[in-house]
Amino acid sequence: MVGTAVVATDASYKKNHAAEHQSLNAPAGYVQRQLNEAMTASLKQSPFFGPKLSSKPSHQLRLEVRSYGLQNLGGKEKHGPSIFVMASIIDDHGAPASDEAPVIWQMPFVATGDQVSPTAAVAPLQTYLAQPALLEKDFRATAAQLAEKIRTTLDESVAE
């Protein structure tokens, strides 16, 4: 990955830039919810997975946000959201999902704001500080892009 990520657990950044850290790092639950909503919307578009969303399948797609933050995307004026996710399909045998359920498929995914489009979801750091709504919008766009990437990979897997 190009640049450096500012993730929620980066202690040195948090210590040296407390105000920016608090403003820029959305709560992990918010990022997870954005990704889950984007993934559900994306899967509804899939001819294979869409009809299965309303049934009670024996397999479950689990998305775990491993890290997120703003990433320097190649210059002082170019920052954007970054989300790293581990996607897994687990076999829960119809029982409630548990950490012990066998993993059938697993793959890491990452998306950054500049992958949404060259100018979307990218802004100077000071702009994000001044406009929290823009940060939220760009995280939402990056989560949607990441969900599309995961759905495309899943669609290609079932097509084989």
Side-chain angles (χ1 to χ4, degrees), residues 53 60 81 88 90 103 106 112 117 142 150:
L53 289 179
Q60 182 185 80
S88 306
I90 60 168
V103 175
Q106 191 169 51
T112 56
S117 79
T142 303
I150 294 168

Side-chain angles (χ1 to χ4, degrees), residues 3 9 16 21-22 49 61 66 77-78 94 101 107 120 148 158:
T9 57
N16 295 327
H21 183 272
Q22 186 175 6
F49 292 104
L61 175 63
R66 297 277 177 98
E77 301 298 314
K78 195 173 180 188
M107 184 176 284
E148 284 298 311
V158 296

Side-chain angles (χ1 to χ4, degrees), residues 16-69:
N16 295 327
H17 306 281
E20 292 91 342
H21 183 272
Q22 186 175 6
S23 295
L24 297 175
N25 286 289
Y30 173 80
V31 174
Q32 184 72 56
R33 278 191 307 278
Q34 289 298 317
L35 181 61
N36 289 347
E37 289 171 11
M39 192 73 239
T40 299
S42 182
L43 285 173
K44 285 180 180 178
Q45 302 301 313
S46 168
F48 181 80
F49 292 104
K52 294 175 180 11
L53 289 179
S54 60
S55 66
K56 297 222 180 232
S58 62
H59 297 82
Q60 182 185 80
L61 175 63
R62 184 180 290 170
L63 303 176
E64 179 187 351
V65 175
R66 297 277 177 98
S67 67
Y68 65 93

Side-chain angles (χ1 to χ4, degrees), residues 84-109:
F84 173 69
V85 168
M86 182 60 73
S88 306
I89 294 180
I90 60 168
D91 182 358
D92 64 8
H93 303 293
S98 70
D99 291 332
E100 294 83 37
V103 175
I104 297 171
W105 173 88
Q106 191 169 51
M107 184 176 284
F109 291 88

Side-chain angles (χ1 to χ4, degrees), residues 117-130:
S117 79
T119 56
V122 174
L125 195 55
Q126 293 303 321
T127 301
Y128 283 126
L129 290 172

